[in-house]
Amino acid sequence: MTKDTVTIRNNATDKETEFSLLRGSVGTPAVDIGSLNKELGVFTFDPGFMSTASCKSAITYIDGEKGILLYRGYPIEQLAKNSSFVEVAYLLMNGELPSEVELLSFTDEINQHSMIHESLRIFFNGFHYDAHPMAMMVGVMGSLSAFYHSELDMSDPEHRRISAMRMVAKMPTIAAASHRHSVGWPFVYPRQDLEYCENFMNMMFSLPGQKYIDKNNYIDPIAVKALNLLFILHADHEQNASTSTVRLASSTGANPYACVAAGISALWGPAHGGANEAVLSMLAEIGTVDRIPKFIAKAKDKNDPFRLMGFGHRVYKNFDPRATITRETCYEVLEKFPSDDPLFELAIALEEYALKDDYFIEKKLYPNVDFYSGIIYKALKIPEDMFTVMFVIARTAGWVSHWLEMMSEPGQRIGRPRQIYTGYKNRDYSSIDNR
Ligand code: SDX
């Protein structure tokens, strides 16, 4: 028995076995239970993966108790203050911050891949104008696998690198196209002379035939700075539901564009990335500060399915550092883009009220990244049904980084969980006498 093992005893069979305790560079150690069934004839049962590590990864680390978030070891606060989304995408994908020359080359390559095939652009015509942009994102991203499949050799690191670059580069173009289709506007193509976030804002909002004004007049630098910040904050987050979806789909060797489409599907849920859109709907439903107690009571009522959207997190049990940064950014953005909609004041009051309530204190429910992000998107005139699409653009950097990491590891195995079977033991087909 050593400090680096855990002994598990099956009292039903009186058999016990020692299992290795795996330690990362930091964080909670994990018991390597791969041989548990063989050794002790039992499975583990952990449906929400509350205590299960699915892989080893060097990309992102979260300390939920201390509110720490590191991308390749760099604190999110430092990256949010000093970096850009494209530089963070490079960091997540490559493991190191780029030199000036590397960043220029990476930025150029992103711009070169930002166009989508004209045939792909026509795919949007199959959607009704009122299709949710996330439905279009899932469909069009999945369709991208049709354009990059036959000659894609996933054993070739360069093929994998280019696939990852294409997805990071094309996601804003596909996202903006989803919006333009839903409002019936002609598509705007990406430009080679605009920064990533500027390009996105231009594709989203520039009007046909509009006299192009110098970008500093046309696309406000505060808006570009806020977008870069939100994309940095949303870029990666360990093995969250959508990243785990991309990893599980990729473990079968499936086309990476199709695997990222699966990730987009998972992110859409209101328990995950769909929460930012749900927060705005919730704030609109609450309406005024005097109605906050009624909705707090609903959130606490076990018989009421209502949850305080933008609150709570599987990992953060004190505060989500991203929410802290986003709240601070709200002040700056709303100063530049004032709104007569009292959303921010309502959100601040709701947070203050909830954080004084025993239920939220006892269950360690704090605002998460989605609680304030929608307020900024709304101030930037991003439509609410595009909020989760914004999350997709940012998280694509994380998804492809995890894909690159897992595909470069030798001995990858297909993910195939087991179960506890609760159905009928054995029935005889011929015994059905009422046929
Ligand atoms: C994201 O995983 C990630 O890293 C995700 C993410 C990322 O960057 O990828 O951070 C992005 O998805 C942020 C989370 C966005 N979702 C929401 O804001 C939706 C509202 N939040 C909840 O649905 C919930 O808090 C989750 C989904 C975020 C976390 O769910 P858990 O960890 O499974 O927690 P739980 O549902 O087991 O809740 C524990 C208790 C329960 O009460 P009891 O059964 O113990 O009595 O807390 C309660 C819950 O009812 N609870 C809430 C609540 N969240 C949890 N009660 C009211 N309102 C809430 N928001």
Side-chain angles (χ1 to χ4, degrees):
M1 195 178 303
T2 76
K3 288 199 181 316
D4 284 333
T5 62
V6 166
T7 303
I8 301 177
R9 176 185 176 78
N10 181 348
N11 292 323
T13 61
D14 274 343
K15 199 170 176 231
E16 74 176 38
T17 304
E18 281 194 351
F19 295 88
S20 304
L21 200 53
L22 304 176
R23 296 179 192 282
S25 42
V26 64
T28 307
V31 183
D32 183 351
I33 53 157
S35 61
L36 180 70
N37 181 28
K38 183 164 144 269
E39 297 290 338
L40 294 178
V42 293
F43 293 147
T44 59
F45 183 64
D46 185 11
F49 305 119
M50 308 290 281
S51 304
T52 296
S54 60
C55 63
K56 292 180 180 176
S57 178
I59 299 173
T60 294
Y61 173 68
I62 305 170
D63 182 323
E65 290 304 325
K66 296 177 185 157
I68 291 172
L69 171 57
L70 306 176
Y71 286 169
R72 296 288 188 179
Y74 293 98
I76 192 66
E77 293 80 3
Q78 292 181 19
L79 294 168
K81 187 161 178 266
N82 304 305
S83 189
S84 68
F85 173 68
V86 171
E87 184 178 69
V88 164
Y90 182 100
L91 172 66
L92 291 171
M93 290 165 70
N94 297 285
E96 299 296 337
L97 284 168
S99 65
E100 205 170 315
V101 170
E102 286 166 333
L103 183 57
L104 273 175
S105 162
F106 184 77
T107 302
D108 282 349
E109 190 173 1
I110 289 279
N111 277 347
Q112 284 159 32
H113 286 297
S114 58
M115 290 269 281
I116 57 175
H117 196 289
E118 280 296 285
S119 304
L120 187 70
R121 196 173 65 78
I122 294 165
F123 275 56
F124 285 90
N125 297 342
F127 293 105
H128 278 202
Y129 73 92
D130 58 355
H132 194 289
M134 279 299 284
M136 292 191 246
M137 293 298 288
V138 169
V140 173
M141 191 63 210
S143 311
L144 212 49
S145 58
F147 292 81
Y148 306 105
H149 186 70
S150 47
E151 72 282 359
L152 175 59
D153 173 4
M154 293 216 273
S155 64
D156 183 335
E158 182 55 13
H159 280 222
R160 297 200 296 265
R161 188 195 68 82
I162 292 179
S163 299
M165 292 296 282
R166 281 190 181 122
M167 287 189 263
V168 172
K170 295 179 192 307
M171 209 55 90
T173 309
I174 295 170
S178 302
H179 168 62
R180 303 288 287 208
H181 181 76
S182 62
V183 295
W185 285 5
F187 293 159
V188 171
Y189 290 94
R191 295 175 55 124
Q192 297 299 306
D193 62 338
L194 293 181
E195 180 266 348
Y196 193 87
C197 293
E198 289 174 328
N199 231 335
F200 173 69
M201 296 292 270
N202 189 53
M203 289 188 281
M204 278 286 287
F205 297 121
S206 66
L207 298 176
Q210 176 167 353
K211 178 179 172 302
Y212 180 70
I213 308 165
D214 167 68
K215 61 185 174 185
N216 285 331
N217 299 341
Y218 175 65
I219 302 168
D220 190 292
I222 297 280
V224 173
K225 182 178 167 230
L227 218 42
N228 263 296
L229 175 78
L230 287 174
F231 284 172
I232 289 170
L233 297 179
H234 286 82
D236 194 49
H237 217 236
E238 288 190 359
Q239 306 309 318
N240 58 85
S242 54
T243 300
S244 299
T245 301
V246 172
R247 277 184 173 258
L248 186 59
S250 304
S251 73
T252 70
N255 180 296
Y257 302 90
C259 295
V260 166
I264 296 173
S265 306
L267 189 72
W268 194 0
H272 192 9
N276 55 18
E277 182 179 353
V279 165
L280 267 288
S281 308
M282 175 188 73
L283 291 174
E285 190 185 359
I286 295 173
T288 52
V289 173
D290 63 317
R291 283 162 52 87
I292 286 176
K294 174 188 166 192
F295 284 84
I296 291 285
K298 279 170 65 67
K300 293 159 61 174
D301 178 357
K302 283 289 152 234
N303 300 316
D304 190 326
F306 176 82
R307 283 200 161 180
L308 217 51
M309 300 315 283
F311 263 75
H313 199 276
R314 173 62 58 77
V315 180
Y316 291 120
K317 296 305 175 191
N318 272 315
F319 66 97
D320 181 337
R322 304 168 299 176
T324 309
I325 297 168
T326 312
R327 186 198 309 118
E328 287 155 16
T329 306
C330 280
Y331 288 104
E332 184 183 1
V333 171
L334 291 171
E335 190 182 334
K336 178 72 181 183
F337 304 100
S339 158
D340 52 7
D341 191 336
L343 275 179
F344 186 43
E345 291 69 24
L346 184 59
I348 292 274
L350 179 59
E351 178 185 5
E352 280 169 10
Y353 194 103
L355 296 190
K356 288 181 190 139
D357 184 285
D358 291 343
Y359 173 91
F360 288 86
I361 294 168
E362 177 215 318
K363 293 185 186 298
K364 300 187 173 186
L365 301 174
Y366 297 87
N368 58 52
V369 68
D370 290 315
F371 188 62
Y372 287 105
S373 56
I375 292 167
I376 296 177
Y377 288 140
K378 190 173 173 84
L380 300 184
K381 303 284 185 278
I382 308 280
E384 282 181 34
D385 65 3
M386 283 290 290
F387 286 6
T388 309
V389 174
M390 305 300 282
F391 202 146
V392 168
I393 296 172
R395 189 52 56 91
T396 299
W399 290 330
V400 300
S401 299
H402 283 271
W403 178 69
L404 291 172
E405 181 178 66
M406 70 175 281
M407 295 303 283
S408 64
E409 280 160 6
Q412 266 302 325
R413 307 185 76 176
I414 188 169
R416 203 279 185 212
R418 304 302 299 271
Q419 64 172 22
I420 292 178
Y421 176 66
T422 57
Y424 287 98
K425 284 184 185 169
N426 193 0
R427 295 198 280 177
D428 185 332
Y429 187 81
S430 60
S431 71
I432 303 171
D433 49 16
N434 60 348
R435 289 170 63 78

Short mmCIF file of all heavy atoms in Angstrom, two decimals, residues 50 62 237 240-241 270-273 275 299 302 306-314 317 320 322 359-360 363 365 368-370 391 395, ligand 1:
data_model
loop_
_atom_site.label_atom_id
_atom_site.label_comp_id
_atom_site.label_asym_id
_atom_site.label_seq_id
_atom_site.Cartn_x
_atom_site.Cartn_y
_atom_site.Cartn_z
N MET A 50 -19.69 13.69 -12.14
CA MET A 50 -19.38 14.59 -11.03
C MET A 50 -17.97 14.35 -10.50
O MET A 50 -17.32 15.29 -10.04
CB MET A 50 -20.38 14.38 -9.88
CG MET A 50 -21.83 14.44 -10.27
SD MET A 50 -22.37 16.09 -10.72
CE MET A 50 -22.59 16.83 -9.11
N ILE A 62 -8.97 24.64 -14.25
CA ILE A 62 -9.91 25.41 -13.42
C ILE A 62 -9.77 24.95 -11.97
O ILE A 62 -9.78 23.74 -11.70
CB ILE A 62 -11.37 25.16 -13.85
CG1 ILE A 62 -11.60 25.45 -15.32
CG2 ILE A 62 -12.33 26.01 -13.00
CD1 ILE A 62 -12.97 24.98 -15.81
N HIS A 237 -12.70 25.72 -21.67
CA HIS A 237 -13.10 25.53 -20.26
C HIS A 237 -13.03 24.07 -19.84
O HIS A 237 -14.00 23.51 -19.33
CB HIS A 237 -14.50 26.10 -20.02
CG HIS A 237 -14.63 26.74 -18.66
ND1 HIS A 237 -15.57 26.36 -17.75
CD2 HIS A 237 -13.90 27.70 -18.07
CE1 HIS A 237 -15.43 27.08 -16.64
NE2 HIS A 237 -14.43 27.91 -16.82
N ASN A 240 -15.93 20.66 -20.44
CA ASN A 240 -17.35 20.99 -20.37
C ASN A 240 -18.14 20.12 -21.33
O ASN A 240 -17.57 19.38 -22.12
CB ASN A 240 -17.51 22.46 -20.71
CG ASN A 240 -16.96 22.76 -22.09
OD1 ASN A 240 -17.63 22.60 -23.08
ND2 ASN A 240 -15.68 23.12 -22.14
N ALA A 241 -19.47 20.21 -21.27
CA ALA A 241 -20.31 19.26 -22.02
C ALA A 241 -20.03 19.28 -23.51
O ALA A 241 -19.93 18.23 -24.16
CB ALA A 241 -21.79 19.59 -21.75
N PRO A 270 -29.83 25.14 -22.86
CA PRO A 270 -29.88 26.25 -21.89
C PRO A 270 -29.09 25.96 -20.62
O PRO A 270 -28.72 26.86 -19.88
CB PRO A 270 -31.37 26.39 -21.58
CG PRO A 270 -32.00 25.13 -22.03
CD PRO A 270 -31.15 24.59 -23.15
N ALA A 271 -28.77 24.68 -20.38
CA ALA A 271 -27.94 24.39 -19.20
C ALA A 271 -26.47 24.70 -19.48
O ALA A 271 -25.64 24.77 -18.57
CB ALA A 271 -28.08 22.92 -18.79
N HIS A 272 -26.16 24.90 -20.75
CA HIS A 272 -24.76 25.13 -21.17
C HIS A 272 -24.69 26.49 -21.87
O HIS A 272 -25.08 27.50 -21.31
CB HIS A 272 -24.34 23.96 -22.06
CG HIS A 272 -22.88 23.84 -22.36
ND1 HIS A 272 -21.91 24.59 -21.77
CD2 HIS A 272 -22.22 23.04 -23.25
CE1 HIS A 272 -20.71 24.24 -22.25
NE2 HIS A 272 -20.88 23.32 -23.16
N GLY A 273 -24.26 26.52 -23.10
CA GLY A 273 -24.06 27.81 -23.77
C GLY A 273 -25.34 28.55 -24.10
O GLY A 273 -25.33 29.76 -24.32
N ALA A 275 -27.45 29.34 -22.13
CA ALA A 275 -27.87 30.11 -20.95
C ALA A 275 -27.80 31.61 -21.20
O ALA A 275 -28.62 32.38 -20.69
CB ALA A 275 -27.00 29.74 -19.75
N ALA A 299 -37.05 30.06 -8.16
CA ALA A 299 -35.79 29.33 -8.38
C ALA A 299 -35.52 28.36 -7.24
O ALA A 299 -34.90 27.31 -7.45
CB ALA A 299 -34.64 30.32 -8.52
N LYS A 302 -38.64 23.58 -5.37
CA LYS A 302 -38.31 22.30 -6.01
C LYS A 302 -39.39 21.86 -6.99
O LYS A 302 -39.14 21.12 -7.93
CB LYS A 302 -38.14 21.19 -4.93
CG LYS A 302 -36.82 21.27 -4.19
CD LYS A 302 -35.67 20.85 -5.11
CE LYS A 302 -34.37 21.50 -4.75
NZ LYS A 302 -33.74 22.19 -5.88
N PHE A 306 -38.31 26.39 -12.88
CA PHE A 306 -37.55 27.62 -13.13
C PHE A 306 -36.21 27.61 -12.41
O PHE A 306 -36.12 27.24 -11.25
CB PHE A 306 -38.36 28.83 -12.65
CG PHE A 306 -37.61 30.14 -12.77
CD1 PHE A 306 -37.56 30.81 -13.99
CD2 PHE A 306 -36.91 30.67 -11.69
CE1 PHE A 306 -36.86 32.00 -14.10
CE2 PHE A 306 -36.20 31.87 -11.80
CZ PHE A 306 -36.18 32.54 -13.01
N ARG A 307 -35.17 27.95 -13.14
CA ARG A 307 -33.85 28.11 -12.54
C ARG A 307 -33.36 29.51 -12.85
O ARG A 307 -33.71 30.09 -13.88
CB ARG A 307 -32.86 27.09 -13.09
CG ARG A 307 -33.06 25.72 -12.51
CD ARG A 307 -31.84 24.86 -12.68
NE ARG A 307 -31.85 23.73 -11.76
CZ ARG A 307 -30.88 22.82 -11.73
NH1 ARG A 307 -29.85 22.93 -12.54
NH2 ARG A 307 -30.92 21.81 -10.88
N LEU A 308 -32.51 30.04 -11.98
CA LEU A 308 -31.94 31.36 -12.22
C LEU A 308 -30.86 31.20 -13.28
O LEU A 308 -29.76 30.72 -13.02
CB LEU A 308 -31.34 31.90 -10.92
CG LEU A 308 -31.48 33.38 -10.66
CD1 LEU A 308 -32.91 33.85 -10.82
CD2 LEU A 308 -30.99 33.72 -9.25
N MET A 309 -31.20 31.57 -14.52
CA MET A 309 -30.25 31.34 -15.61
C MET A 309 -29.03 32.23 -15.43
O MET A 309 -29.14 33.37 -14.97
CB MET A 309 -30.93 31.64 -16.95
CG MET A 309 -32.13 30.75 -17.21
SD MET A 309 -31.85 29.01 -16.83
CE MET A 309 -30.89 28.52 -18.24
N GLY A 310 -27.86 31.70 -15.75
CA GLY A 310 -26.62 32.44 -15.55
C GLY A 310 -26.06 32.28 -14.15
O GLY A 310 -25.05 32.88 -13.82
N PHE A 311 -26.78 31.44 -13.34
CA PHE A 311 -26.27 31.18 -11.97
C PHE A 311 -25.90 29.71 -11.83
O PHE A 311 -26.55 28.83 -12.41
CB PHE A 311 -27.37 31.52 -10.95
CG PHE A 311 -27.22 32.90 -10.37
CD1 PHE A 311 -27.56 34.01 -11.12
CD2 PHE A 311 -26.72 33.10 -9.09
CE1 PHE A 311 -27.42 35.29 -10.60
CE2 PHE A 311 -26.57 34.38 -8.56
CZ PHE A 311 -26.93 35.47 -9.31
N GLY A 312 -24.88 29.45 -11.03
CA GLY A 312 -24.48 28.08 -10.74
C GLY A 312 -23.46 27.57 -11.72
O GLY A 312 -23.36 28.06 -12.85
N HIS A 313 -22.69 26.61 -11.27
CA HIS A 313 -21.68 26.00 -12.14
C HIS A 313 -21.22 24.68 -11.53
O HIS A 313 -21.13 24.55 -10.31
CB HIS A 313 -20.47 26.94 -12.31
CG HIS A 313 -19.63 26.62 -13.49
ND1 HIS A 313 -18.66 25.66 -13.46
CD2 HIS A 313 -19.66 27.08 -14.76
CE1 HIS A 313 -18.09 25.56 -14.65
NE2 HIS A 313 -18.69 26.40 -15.46
N ARG A 314 -20.93 23.70 -12.38
CA ARG A 314 -20.48 22.41 -11.91
C ARG A 314 -19.14 22.51 -11.20
O ARG A 314 -18.89 21.81 -10.23
CB ARG A 314 -20.35 21.45 -13.11
CG ARG A 314 -19.73 20.11 -12.82
CD ARG A 314 -20.53 19.32 -11.83
NE ARG A 314 -21.88 19.08 -12.26
CZ ARG A 314 -22.22 18.18 -13.17
NH1 ARG A 314 -21.29 17.46 -13.79
NH2 ARG A 314 -23.50 18.00 -13.46
N LYS A 317 -17.30 27.02 -7.36
CA LYS A 317 -18.14 27.00 -6.15
C LYS A 317 -17.91 28.22 -5.29
O LYS A 317 -18.32 28.27 -4.14
CB LYS A 317 -17.87 25.71 -5.35
CG LYS A 317 -18.26 24.44 -6.10
CD LYS A 317 -19.70 24.46 -6.57
CE LYS A 317 -20.07 23.27 -7.44
NZ LYS A 317 -21.40 23.45 -8.12
N ASP A 320 -17.12 32.64 -10.60
CA ASP A 320 -16.60 32.38 -11.96
C ASP A 320 -15.80 33.62 -12.34
O ASP A 320 -16.37 34.70 -12.51
CB ASP A 320 -17.78 32.17 -12.92
CG ASP A 320 -17.32 31.87 -14.35
OD1 ASP A 320 -16.18 32.22 -14.72
OD2 ASP A 320 -18.13 31.28 -15.11
N ARG A 322 -14.68 34.65 -14.89
CA ARG A 322 -15.11 35.25 -16.16
C ARG A 322 -16.30 36.18 -15.94
O ARG A 322 -16.46 37.20 -16.61
CB ARG A 322 -15.46 34.14 -17.15
CG ARG A 322 -14.34 33.13 -17.42
CD ARG A 322 -14.83 31.93 -18.16
NE ARG A 322 -15.87 31.23 -17.39
CZ ARG A 322 -16.53 30.16 -17.88
NH1 ARG A 322 -16.29 29.72 -19.10
NH2 ARG A 322 -17.45 29.56 -17.13
N TYR A 359 -30.30 30.03 0.34
CA TYR A 359 -30.34 28.92 -0.62
C TYR A 359 -29.14 29.00 -1.56
O TYR A 359 -28.42 28.03 -1.77
CB TYR A 359 -31.64 29.01 -1.42
CG TYR A 359 -31.78 28.04 -2.57
CD1 TYR A 359 -32.37 26.79 -2.40
CD2 TYR A 359 -31.33 28.38 -3.85
CE1 TYR A 359 -32.51 25.91 -3.47
CE2 TYR A 359 -31.46 27.50 -4.92
CZ TYR A 359 -32.05 26.28 -4.72
OH TYR A 359 -32.18 25.40 -5.78
N PHE A 360 -28.90 30.19 -2.11
CA PHE A 360 -27.80 30.33 -3.09
C PHE A 360 -26.45 30.25 -2.39
O PHE A 360 -25.49 29.71 -2.94
CB PHE A 360 -27.97 31.66 -3.84
CG PHE A 360 -29.12 31.64 -4.81
CD1 PHE A 360 -30.40 31.94 -4.37
CD2 PHE A 360 -28.93 31.25 -6.12
CE1 PHE A 360 -31.48 31.86 -5.24
CE2 PHE A 360 -30.01 31.19 -7.01
CZ PHE A 360 -31.28 31.49 -6.57
N LYS A 363 -25.93 26.48 -1.50
CA LYS A 363 -25.65 25.62 -2.67
C LYS A 363 -24.50 26.18 -3.51
O LYS A 363 -24.21 25.70 -4.59
CB LYS A 363 -26.92 25.47 -3.49
CG LYS A 363 -28.00 24.69 -2.76
CD LYS A 363 -29.19 24.44 -3.63
CE LYS A 363 -30.30 23.80 -2.83
NZ LYS A 363 -29.91 22.45 -2.28
N LEU A 365 -24.15 28.94 -5.32
CA LEU A 365 -24.59 29.32 -6.67
C LEU A 365 -24.22 30.78 -6.91
O LEU A 365 -24.72 31.67 -6.25
CB LEU A 365 -26.10 29.13 -6.79
CG LEU A 365 -26.60 27.70 -6.55
CD1 LEU A 365 -28.12 27.67 -6.56
CD2 LEU A 365 -26.02 26.73 -7.58
N ASN A 368 -22.37 32.92 -13.38
CA ASN A 368 -21.35 32.32 -14.24
C ASN A 368 -21.14 33.22 -15.46
O ASN A 368 -21.76 34.29 -15.56
CB ASN A 368 -21.75 30.90 -14.64
CG ASN A 368 -23.09 30.85 -15.36
OD1 ASN A 368 -23.30 31.56 -16.32
ND2 ASN A 368 -24.01 30.03 -14.87
N VAL A 369 -20.32 32.77 -16.36
CA VAL A 369 -19.90 33.61 -17.50
C VAL A 369 -21.10 34.10 -18.31
O VAL A 369 -21.06 35.17 -18.91
CB VAL A 369 -18.92 32.84 -18.41
CG1 VAL A 369 -19.64 31.68 -19.13
CG2 VAL A 369 -18.24 33.75 -19.40
N ASP A 370 -22.20 33.33 -18.27
CA ASP A 370 -23.34 33.68 -19.13
C ASP A 370 -24.22 34.76 -18.53
O ASP A 370 -25.11 35.27 -19.21
CB ASP A 370 -24.18 32.42 -19.39
CG ASP A 370 -23.43 31.45 -20.29
OD1 ASP A 370 -22.85 31.91 -21.30
OD2 ASP A 370 -23.39 30.26 -19.98
N PHE A 391 -20.92 32.40 -28.56
CA PHE A 391 -20.21 31.42 -27.73
C PHE A 391 -19.54 30.37 -28.63
O PHE A 391 -18.40 29.97 -28.42
CB PHE A 391 -21.21 30.74 -26.77
CG PHE A 391 -20.62 30.12 -25.54
CD1 PHE A 391 -21.34 30.12 -24.34
CD2 PHE A 391 -19.40 29.50 -25.55
CE1 PHE A 391 -20.82 29.53 -23.19
CE2 PHE A 391 -18.86 28.89 -24.41
CZ PHE A 391 -19.58 28.92 -23.24
N ARG A 395 -15.71 29.30 -28.61
CA ARG A 395 -15.36 27.96 -28.14
C ARG A 395 -14.79 27.06 -29.22
O ARG A 395 -14.14 26.06 -28.90
CB ARG A 395 -16.62 27.32 -27.50
CG ARG A 395 -16.42 26.02 -26.76
CD ARG A 395 -15.31 26.03 -25.69
NE ARG A 395 -15.43 27.03 -24.67
CZ ARG A 395 -16.07 26.87 -23.53
NH1 ARG A 395 -16.68 25.74 -23.28
NH2 ARG A 395 -16.14 27.83 -22.62
C1 SDX B 1 -21.75 27.09 -19.01
O1 SDX B 1 -19.07 23.13 -17.67
C2 SDX B 1 -18.68 24.32 -18.04
O2 SDX B 1 -17.52 24.69 -17.85
C3 SDX B 1 -19.73 25.16 -18.71
C4 SDX B 1 -19.31 26.57 -19.09
C5 SDX B 1 -18.21 26.59 -20.14
O3 SDX B 1 -17.51 27.60 -20.23
O4 SDX B 1 -18.17 25.62 -20.95
O5 SDX B 1 -18.84 27.26 -17.94
C6 SDX B 1 -20.47 27.36 -19.69
O6 SDX B 1 -22.45 26.21 -19.43
C7 SDX B 1 -22.11 27.87 -17.79
C8 SDX B 1 -23.42 27.35 -17.11
C9 SDX B 1 -24.60 28.00 -17.84
N1 SDX B 1 -25.89 27.42 -17.36
C10 SDX B 1 -26.74 28.13 -16.62
O7 SDX B 1 -26.50 29.25 -16.20
C11 SDX B 1 -28.07 27.43 -16.37
C12 SDX B 1 -28.45 27.53 -14.88
N2 SDX B 1 -27.50 26.76 -14.11
C13 SDX B 1 -27.87 25.40 -13.79
O8 SDX B 1 -28.71 24.73 -14.63
C14 SDX B 1 -26.74 24.61 -13.14
O9 SDX B 1 -26.19 25.41 -12.18
C15 SDX B 1 -25.63 24.07 -14.02
C16 SDX B 1 -26.15 23.30 -15.18
C17 SDX B 1 -24.76 25.17 -14.51
C18 SDX B 1 -24.76 23.16 -13.14
O10 SDX B 1 -25.51 22.03 -12.87
P1 SDX B 1 -24.97 20.92 -11.83
O11 SDX B 1 -23.53 21.09 -11.54
O12 SDX B 1 -25.45 19.60 -12.32
O13 SDX B 1 -25.70 21.31 -10.50
P2 SDX B 1 -27.10 20.74 -10.08
O14 SDX B 1 -28.07 20.90 -11.20
O15 SDX B 1 -26.89 19.38 -9.52
O16 SDX B 1 -27.50 21.77 -8.93
C19 SDX B 1 -27.06 21.56 -7.61
C20 SDX B 1 -28.19 22.15 -6.76
C21 SDX B 1 -29.56 21.58 -7.12
O17 SDX B 1 -30.39 21.63 -5.98
P3 SDX B 1 -30.56 20.23 -5.11
O18 SDX B 1 -31.06 19.16 -6.09
O19 SDX B 1 -29.17 19.92 -4.55
O20 SDX B 1 -31.56 20.57 -4.05
O21 SDX B 1 -28.27 23.56 -7.00
C22 SDX B 1 -29.54 23.86 -7.58
C23 SDX B 1 -30.12 22.58 -8.11
O22 SDX B 1 -31.54 22.62 -8.10
N3 SDX B 1 -29.26 24.80 -8.69
C24 SDX B 1 -30.00 25.85 -8.97
C25 SDX B 1 -29.35 26.47 -10.06
N4 SDX B 1 -28.27 25.77 -10.41
C26 SDX B 1 -28.22 24.73 -9.55
N5 SDX B 1 -31.12 26.35 -8.43
C27 SDX B 1 -31.63 27.48 -8.99
N6 SDX B 1 -31.05 28.13 -10.04
C28 SDX B 1 -29.92 27.66 -10.59
N7 SDX B 1 -29.35 28.30 -11.62
#
